[in-house]
Amino acid sequence: MKRLDRSLLSNKLDNVQFPDYELDSVKTNIVHFGVGNFHRAHQAVYCHKLLNQGELDWGITGVSLRATPMFDALAPQDFLYTEMTLGDTSQINIIGSIRDILIAPDDPQKVLALLTSNNTKVVTTTITEKGYYLASNAIDIAHEEVANDLADAQNPKTIYGYLAAAIELRMKAKADPLTIVCCDNLQGGGEHLEKGTYMVLEKHYPEAALWAKTNIAFVSSMVDRVTPATSEKTKCKVADELGVYDEWPVAAEPFTQWVIEDKFIGERPPFDKVGAEFVDSIHLFEQMKLRLLNASHSIISAMGYLVGDNFVHQALARPAIFNFVEQMVTKQVLPVISIPADADGNQYFADVIKRFENSHLPYRVLQVGTDSSQKVAQRWYPSIDDGLANQLIPNGFAFALAAWACYIKQALEKGDLNDPLKAVFSELLEEQPKDFINSLLVLTGAEKFNFYQNSVFINYVNDYYQHITEHGLLQALASFTIK
Ligand code: CS2
């Protein structure tokens, strides 16, 4: 079968929307780090819609900080790929907003030259939680790659090193201001980028650190669209519809949301023309998403794994898991968080559950479970502390933590765990349950939170862990009552 490439664009197919723009007229004023499925189903689609409206400045050059497979898949396709929306109805778009992908380790100087170019107005990131090297919510300077960038500014390995080196070059070239936008699931992602970049700047380029204060803006954003890894089924479906083969299409849900902190310096892409929202204060939006949507996702993922379900929608179809998540969020998250002025927390959560139930878009529990050591502190820990501060003992979270510890143990034993702390976790397997749980908590930064010192809460975690281990998750859930 022929491969997808620009020659297909002259065809017309029912059910398929092609770009309304000429690929060669697209300017790539955005440089994006981390061209994975999420980026391709989210920001790249917003950019594609802008290009469709004739806003031709907002194409993307992607940068991969390590892996080459996305380049290998998309380069023979003129960087075109298929985006398939899967819900009650489906829709297929050919996306042309990504115009090139650079592999940073192959040619770091090329990446720096691109970042220094005056055409580059905005840098965006989806490098996943672990790309920020956070430990206890601070950048882990002991991490080998961070330490590399702090010691040797010439050969950056981390996002921070690249940004710092680029800022120094931009200062020397008297380049225009630049905005750097975090598009990962982090609270205050822009602030982490800012801190990490200044850490390297202050060490190696103090003059550029001063220059950056008035020439570089760091922006946070709340990004949302459920986007699973691409399945063989998706590839076959796309090939059937297009009549050509796409090596790496992406399927995602109908819902999409992007709320961006309005703190740009220099040109701001008009993402508001294509459904994104610029807001003065982003904190509550990030919090709402992380602590309602992502928090529930992580619980469903751990529980689904323990009962042998492959997909999120299957786990949610079990009344015991559904009820647990619903009760926990309603009683132990919603009452302790603030919601953005125009949003309704209960409605938001009800919509999230409906989205998770979308069986047209199976989402593997193990995909959500990937890197969970980097996720729980963002998604769960602040709600536990807020509960305790409100005189609640959030026993739902104690149960969730116990289930998560069981997930880590079982997934390790079965060879299913995909996590940057996998090797460290493996060494804990022989520990006594209490020590095992304590180690997991410490390794995920719990010591910085008040709940870690709360013996009532920690005893709950230990008791539930024992219960789940002895009786299995479903029986433990049957005898659990939320407070
Ligand atoms: C998920 C997210 O994999 C995960 O950890 O919770 O990727 C989630 O699907 C997205 O944040 C939805 O926007």
PDB file of all heavy atoms in Angstrom, residues 455-479:
ATOM      1  N   SER A 455       0.019  10.195  61.701  1.00  0.00           N
ATOM      2  CA  SER A 455       0.068   8.737  61.899  1.00  0.00           C
ATOM      3  C   SER A 455      -1.300   8.094  61.651  1.00  0.00           C
ATOM      4  O   SER A 455      -1.374   6.956  61.206  1.00  0.00           O
ATOM      5  CB  SER A 455       0.589   8.407  63.290  1.00  0.00           C
ATOM      6  OG  SER A 455      -0.207   9.074  64.228  1.00  0.00           O
ATOM      7  N   VAL A 456      -2.389   8.831  61.905  1.00  0.00           N
ATOM      8  CA  VAL A 456      -3.708   8.247  61.657  1.00  0.00           C
ATOM      9  C   VAL A 456      -3.848   7.937  60.157  1.00  0.00           C
ATOM     10  O   VAL A 456      -4.235   6.838  59.757  1.00  0.00           O
ATOM     11  CB  VAL A 456      -4.835   9.204  62.113  1.00  0.00           C
ATOM     12  CG1 VAL A 456      -6.208   8.609  61.854  1.00  0.00           C
ATOM     13  CG2 VAL A 456      -4.657   9.565  63.575  1.00  0.00           C
ATOM     14  N   PHE A 457      -3.485   8.911  59.340  1.00  0.00           N
ATOM     15  CA  PHE A 457      -3.594   8.714  57.891  1.00  0.00           C
ATOM     16  C   PHE A 457      -2.673   7.584  57.430  1.00  0.00           C
ATOM     17  O   PHE A 457      -3.088   6.686  56.690  1.00  0.00           O
ATOM     18  CB  PHE A 457      -3.256  10.029  57.154  1.00  0.00           C
ATOM     19  CG  PHE A 457      -3.355   9.897  55.660  1.00  0.00           C
ATOM     20  CD1 PHE A 457      -4.582   9.997  55.021  1.00  0.00           C
ATOM     21  CD2 PHE A 457      -2.224   9.629  54.888  1.00  0.00           C
ATOM     22  CE1 PHE A 457      -4.691   9.835  53.642  1.00  0.00           C
ATOM     23  CE2 PHE A 457      -2.323   9.465  53.522  1.00  0.00           C
ATOM     24  CZ  PHE A 457      -3.557   9.576  52.897  1.00  0.00           C
ATOM     25  N   ILE A 458      -1.440   7.608  57.888  1.00  0.00           N
ATOM     26  CA  ILE A 458      -0.463   6.591  57.436  1.00  0.00           C
ATOM     27  C   ILE A 458      -0.903   5.190  57.904  1.00  0.00           C
ATOM     28  O   ILE A 458      -0.764   4.216  57.158  1.00  0.00           O
ATOM     29  CB  ILE A 458       0.966   6.934  57.940  1.00  0.00           C
ATOM     30  CG1 ILE A 458       1.415   8.283  57.361  1.00  0.00           C
ATOM     31  CG2 ILE A 458       1.958   5.816  57.603  1.00  0.00           C
ATOM     32  CD1 ILE A 458       1.635   8.327  55.854  1.00  0.00           C
ATOM     33  N   ASN A 459      -1.484   5.119  59.109  1.00  0.00           N
ATOM     34  CA  ASN A 459      -1.982   3.804  59.565  1.00  0.00           C
ATOM     35  C   ASN A 459      -3.076   3.280  58.651  1.00  0.00           C
ATOM     36  O   ASN A 459      -3.154   2.093  58.377  1.00  0.00           O
ATOM     37  CB  ASN A 459      -2.517   3.880  60.996  1.00  0.00           C
ATOM     38  CG  ASN A 459      -1.363   3.959  61.989  1.00  0.00           C
ATOM     39  OD1 ASN A 459      -0.230   3.614  61.641  1.00  0.00           O
ATOM     40  ND2 ASN A 459      -1.642   4.437  63.199  1.00  0.00           N
ATOM     41  N   TYR A 460      -3.920   4.197  58.203  1.00  0.00           N
ATOM     42  CA  TYR A 460      -4.955   3.782  57.241  1.00  0.00           C
ATOM     43  C   TYR A 460      -4.308   3.175  55.990  1.00  0.00           C
ATOM     44  O   TYR A 460      -4.735   2.145  55.500  1.00  0.00           O
ATOM     45  CB  TYR A 460      -5.812   4.981  56.789  1.00  0.00           C
ATOM     46  CG  TYR A 460      -7.011   5.262  57.662  1.00  0.00           C
ATOM     47  CD1 TYR A 460      -7.186   6.513  58.242  1.00  0.00           C
ATOM     48  CD2 TYR A 460      -7.984   4.294  57.862  1.00  0.00           C
ATOM     49  CE1 TYR A 460      -8.293   6.793  59.025  1.00  0.00           C
ATOM     50  CE2 TYR A 460      -9.099   4.564  58.648  1.00  0.00           C
ATOM     51  CZ  TYR A 460      -9.244   5.815  59.232  1.00  0.00           C
ATOM     52  OH  TYR A 460     -10.335   6.082  59.993  1.00  0.00           O
ATOM     53  N   VAL A 461      -3.295   3.864  55.475  1.00  0.00           N
ATOM     54  CA  VAL A 461      -2.649   3.354  54.250  1.00  0.00           C
ATOM     55  C   VAL A 461      -2.152   1.932  54.500  1.00  0.00           C
ATOM     56  O   VAL A 461      -2.393   1.007  53.714  1.00  0.00           O
ATOM     57  CB  VAL A 461      -1.468   4.250  53.802  1.00  0.00           C
ATOM     58  CG1 VAL A 461      -0.863   3.720  52.495  1.00  0.00           C
ATOM     59  CG2 VAL A 461      -1.894   5.700  53.625  1.00  0.00           C
ATOM     60  N   ASN A 462      -1.479   1.743  55.637  1.00  0.00           N
ATOM     61  CA  ASN A 462      -0.922   0.416  55.939  1.00  0.00           C
ATOM     62  C   ASN A 462      -2.023  -0.631  56.100  1.00  0.00           C
ATOM     63  O   ASN A 462      -1.908  -1.747  55.598  1.00  0.00           O
ATOM     64  CB  ASN A 462      -0.058   0.485  57.193  1.00  0.00           C
ATOM     65  CG  ASN A 462       1.254   1.198  56.912  1.00  0.00           C
ATOM     66  OD1 ASN A 462       1.904   0.922  55.906  1.00  0.00           O
ATOM     67  ND2 ASN A 462       1.623   2.141  57.753  1.00  0.00           N
ATOM     68  N   ASP A 463      -3.091  -0.258  56.812  1.00  0.00           N
ATOM     69  CA  ASP A 463      -4.181  -1.222  57.020  1.00  0.00           C
ATOM     70  C   ASP A 463      -4.831  -1.618  55.690  1.00  0.00           C
ATOM     71  O   ASP A 463      -5.090  -2.787  55.435  1.00  0.00           O
ATOM     72  CB  ASP A 463      -5.270  -0.630  57.930  1.00  0.00           C
ATOM     73  CG  ASP A 463      -4.769  -0.499  59.360  1.00  0.00           C
ATOM     74  OD1 ASP A 463      -3.660  -1.023  59.643  1.00  0.00           O
ATOM     75  OD2 ASP A 463      -5.466   0.148  60.172  1.00  0.00           O
ATOM     76  N   TYR A 464      -5.089  -0.614  54.856  1.00  0.00           N
ATOM     77  CA  TYR A 464      -5.750  -0.923  53.573  1.00  0.00           C
ATOM     78  C   TYR A 464      -4.831  -1.776  52.690  1.00  0.00           C
ATOM     79  O   TYR A 464      -5.284  -2.660  51.971  1.00  0.00           O
ATOM     80  CB  TYR A 464      -6.132   0.364  52.824  1.00  0.00           C
ATOM     81  CG  TYR A 464      -7.224   1.174  53.498  1.00  0.00           C
ATOM     82  CD1 TYR A 464      -7.136   2.563  53.591  1.00  0.00           C
ATOM     83  CD2 TYR A 464      -8.358   0.556  54.030  1.00  0.00           C
ATOM     84  CE1 TYR A 464      -8.132   3.311  54.193  1.00  0.00           C
ATOM     85  CE2 TYR A 464      -9.358   1.301  54.640  1.00  0.00           C
ATOM     86  CZ  TYR A 464      -9.230   2.678  54.726  1.00  0.00           C
ATOM     87  OH  TYR A 464     -10.215   3.422  55.326  1.00  0.00           O
ATOM     88  N   TYR A 465      -3.542  -1.476  52.774  1.00  0.00           N
ATOM     89  CA  TYR A 465      -2.591  -2.254  51.962  1.00  0.00           C
ATOM     90  C   TYR A 465      -2.666  -3.729  52.354  1.00  0.00           C
ATOM     91  O   TYR A 465      -2.731  -4.620  51.510  1.00  0.00           O
ATOM     92  CB  TYR A 465      -1.175  -1.708  52.182  1.00  0.00           C
ATOM     93  CG  TYR A 465      -0.111  -2.450  51.393  1.00  0.00           C
ATOM     94  CD1 TYR A 465       0.109  -2.160  50.045  1.00  0.00           C
ATOM     95  CD2 TYR A 465       0.666  -3.441  51.992  1.00  0.00           C
ATOM     96  CE1 TYR A 465       1.074  -2.838  49.319  1.00  0.00           C
ATOM     97  CE2 TYR A 465       1.628  -4.121  51.267  1.00  0.00           C
ATOM     98  CZ  TYR A 465       1.834  -3.802  49.934  1.00  0.00           C
ATOM     99  OH  TYR A 465       2.791  -4.482  49.212  1.00  0.00           O
ATOM    100  N   GLN A 466      -2.708  -3.936  53.666  1.00  0.00           N
ATOM    101  CA  GLN A 466      -2.777  -5.319  54.159  1.00  0.00           C
ATOM    102  C   GLN A 466      -4.083  -5.987  53.692  1.00  0.00           C
ATOM    103  O   GLN A 466      -4.093  -7.121  53.231  1.00  0.00           O
ATOM    104  CB  GLN A 466      -2.714  -5.297  55.681  1.00  0.00           C
ATOM    105  CG  GLN A 466      -2.380  -6.646  56.251  1.00  0.00           C
ATOM    106  CD  GLN A 466      -2.474  -6.625  57.766  1.00  0.00           C
ATOM    107  OE1 GLN A 466      -2.538  -5.550  58.392  1.00  0.00           O
ATOM    108  NE2 GLN A 466      -2.489  -7.798  58.364  1.00  0.00           N
ATOM    109  N   HIS A 467      -5.147  -5.227  53.792  1.00  0.00           N
ATOM    110  CA  HIS A 467      -6.459  -5.708  53.406  1.00  0.00           C
ATOM    111  C   HIS A 467      -6.503  -6.105  51.926  1.00  0.00           C
ATOM    112  O   HIS A 467      -6.976  -7.180  51.565  1.00  0.00           O
ATOM    113  CB  HIS A 467      -7.460  -4.568  53.636  1.00  0.00           C
ATOM    114  CG  HIS A 467      -8.736  -5.027  54.199  1.00  0.00           C
ATOM    115  ND1 HIS A 467      -9.167  -4.677  55.445  1.00  0.00           N
ATOM    116  CD2 HIS A 467      -9.688  -5.821  53.688  1.00  0.00           C
ATOM    117  CE1 HIS A 467     -10.331  -5.225  55.668  1.00  0.00           C
ATOM    118  NE2 HIS A 467     -10.669  -5.944  54.628  1.00  0.00           N
ATOM    119  N   ILE A 468      -5.998  -5.209  51.086  1.00  0.00           N
ATOM    120  CA  ILE A 468      -6.032  -5.491  49.635  1.00  0.00           C
ATOM    121  C   ILE A 468      -5.140  -6.694  49.333  1.00  0.00           C
ATOM    122  O   ILE A 468      -5.503  -7.578  48.550  1.00  0.00           O
ATOM    123  CB  ILE A 468      -5.573  -4.259  48.803  1.00  0.00           C
ATOM    124  CG1 ILE A 468      -6.457  -3.053  49.091  1.00  0.00           C
ATOM    125  CG2 ILE A 468      -5.594  -4.572  47.306  1.00  0.00           C
ATOM    126  CD1 ILE A 468      -5.971  -1.740  48.486  1.00  0.00           C
ATOM    127  N   THR A 469      -3.980  -6.738  49.975  1.00  0.00           N
ATOM    128  CA  THR A 469      -3.061  -7.854  49.716  1.00  0.00           C
ATOM    129  C   THR A 469      -3.704  -9.177  50.120  1.00  0.00           C
ATOM    130  O   THR A 469      -3.591 -10.173  49.419  1.00  0.00           O
ATOM    131  CB  THR A 469      -1.744  -7.642  50.512  1.00  0.00           C
ATOM    132  OG1 THR A 469      -1.287  -6.324  50.234  1.00  0.00           O
ATOM    133  CG2 THR A 469      -0.675  -8.627  50.107  1.00  0.00           C
ATOM    134  N   GLU A 470      -4.391  -9.164  51.263  1.00  0.00           N
ATOM    135  CA  GLU A 470      -4.965 -10.437  51.758  1.00  0.00           C
ATOM    136  C   GLU A 470      -6.227 -10.849  51.022  1.00  0.00           C
ATOM    137  O   GLU A 470      -6.446 -12.022  50.757  1.00  0.00           O
ATOM    138  CB  GLU A 470      -5.286 -10.321  53.254  1.00  0.00           C
ATOM    139  CG  GLU A 470      -4.050 -10.564  54.096  1.00  0.00           C
ATOM    140  CD  GLU A 470      -4.293 -10.243  55.565  1.00  0.00           C
ATOM    141  OE1 GLU A 470      -5.469 -10.195  56.002  1.00  0.00           O
ATOM    142  OE2 GLU A 470      -3.279 -10.007  56.265  1.00  0.00           O
ATOM    143  N   HIS A 471      -7.077  -9.882  50.704  1.00  0.00           N
ATOM    144  CA  HIS A 471      -8.410 -10.244  50.198  1.00  0.00           C
ATOM    145  C   HIS A 471      -8.647  -9.882  48.742  1.00  0.00           C
ATOM    146  O   HIS A 471      -9.689 -10.214  48.192  1.00  0.00           O
ATOM    147  CB  HIS A 471      -9.496  -9.561  51.040  1.00  0.00           C
ATOM    148  CG  HIS A 471      -9.369  -9.856  52.499  1.00  0.00           C
ATOM    149  ND1 HIS A 471      -9.707 -11.077  53.032  1.00  0.00           N
ATOM    150  CD2 HIS A 471      -8.904  -9.109  53.521  1.00  0.00           C
ATOM    151  CE1 HIS A 471      -9.463 -11.057  54.339  1.00  0.00           C
ATOM    152  NE2 HIS A 471      -8.979  -9.874  54.655  1.00  0.00           N
ATOM    153  N   GLY A 472      -7.740  -9.161  48.149  1.00  0.00           N
ATOM    154  CA  GLY A 472      -7.970  -8.710  46.771  1.00  0.00           C
ATOM    155  C   GLY A 472      -8.689  -7.367  46.789  1.00  0.00           C
ATOM    156  O   GLY A 472      -9.353  -7.006  47.782  1.00  0.00           O
ATOM    157  N   LEU A 473      -8.564  -6.632  45.692  1.00  0.00           N
ATOM    158  CA  LEU A 473      -9.101  -5.268  45.670  1.00  0.00           C
ATOM    159  C   LEU A 473     -10.614  -5.236  45.831  1.00  0.00           C
ATOM    160  O   LEU A 473     -11.147  -4.436  46.601  1.00  0.00           O
ATOM    161  CB  LEU A 473      -8.715  -4.560  44.366  1.00  0.00           C
ATOM    162  CG  LEU A 473      -9.270  -3.145  44.304  1.00  0.00           C
ATOM    163  CD1 LEU A 473      -8.367  -2.173  45.053  1.00  0.00           C
ATOM    164  CD2 LEU A 473      -9.473  -2.654  42.889  1.00  0.00           C
ATOM    165  N   LEU A 474     -11.308  -6.104  45.113  1.00  0.00           N
ATOM    166  CA  LEU A 474     -12.768  -5.970  45.101  1.00  0.00           C
ATOM    167  C   LEU A 474     -13.364  -6.243  46.472  1.00  0.00           C
ATOM    168  O   LEU A 474     -14.274  -5.530  46.924  1.00  0.00           O
ATOM    169  CB  LEU A 474     -13.381  -6.866  44.021  1.00  0.00           C
ATOM    170  CG  LEU A 474     -13.056  -6.402  42.589  1.00  0.00           C
ATOM    171  CD1 LEU A 474     -13.567  -7.396  41.560  1.00  0.00           C
ATOM    172  CD2 LEU A 474     -13.610  -4.999  42.306  1.00  0.00           C
ATOM    173  N   GLN A 475     -12.810  -7.247  47.144  1.00  0.00           N
ATOM    174  CA  GLN A 475     -13.333  -7.514  48.490  1.00  0.00           C
ATOM    175  C   GLN A 475     -12.969  -6.383  49.456  1.00  0.00           C
ATOM    176  O   GLN A 475     -13.776  -5.988  50.302  1.00  0.00           O
ATOM    177  CB  GLN A 475     -12.800  -8.844  48.997  1.00  0.00           C
ATOM    178  CG  GLN A 475     -13.842  -9.554  49.830  1.00  0.00           C
ATOM    179  CD  GLN A 475     -13.337 -10.922  50.241  1.00  0.00           C
ATOM    180  OE1 GLN A 475     -12.788 -11.646  49.415  1.00  0.00           O
ATOM    181  NE2 GLN A 475     -13.503 -11.255  51.503  1.00  0.00           N
ATOM    182  N   ALA A 476     -11.762  -5.854  49.302  1.00  0.00           N
ATOM    183  CA  ALA A 476     -11.364  -4.730  50.171  1.00  0.00           C
ATOM    184  C   ALA A 476     -12.277  -3.529  49.915  1.00  0.00           C
ATOM    185  O   ALA A 476     -12.682  -2.825  50.853  1.00  0.00           O
ATOM    186  CB  ALA A 476      -9.910  -4.376  49.925  1.00  0.00           C
ATOM    187  N   LEU A 477     -12.623  -3.322  48.658  1.00  0.00           N
ATOM    188  CA  LEU A 477     -13.525  -2.204  48.344  1.00  0.00           C
ATOM    189  C   LEU A 477     -14.907  -2.435  48.946  1.00  0.00           C
ATOM    190  O   LEU A 477     -15.560  -1.505  49.422  1.00  0.00           O
ATOM    191  CB  LEU A 477     -13.673  -2.043  46.822  1.00  0.00           C
ATOM    192  CG  LEU A 477     -12.614  -1.220  46.098  1.00  0.00           C
ATOM    193  CD1 LEU A 477     -12.846  -1.265  44.585  1.00  0.00           C
ATOM    194  CD2 LEU A 477     -12.612   0.234  46.575  1.00  0.00           C
ATOM    195  N   ALA A 478     -15.336  -3.700  48.946  1.00  0.00           N
ATOM    196  CA  ALA A 478     -16.679  -4.015  49.445  1.00  0.00           C
ATOM    197  C   ALA A 478     -16.795  -3.657  50.926  1.00  0.00           C
ATOM    198  O   ALA A 478     -17.868  -3.272  51.397  1.00  0.00           O
ATOM    199  CB  ALA A 478     -16.987  -5.490  49.207  1.00  0.00           C
ATOM    200  N   SER A 479     -15.692  -3.767  51.667  1.00  0.00           N
ATOM    201  CA  SER A 479     -15.811  -3.448  53.086  1.00  0.00           C
ATOM    202  C   SER A 479     -15.291  -2.042  53.417  1.00  0.00           C
ATOM    203  O   SER A 479     -15.128  -1.679  54.572  1.00  0.00           O
ATOM    204  CB  SER A 479     -15.068  -4.499  53.925  1.00  0.00           C
ATOM    205  OG  SER A 479     -13.755  -4.600  53.467  1.00  0.00           O
TER     206      SER A 479
END
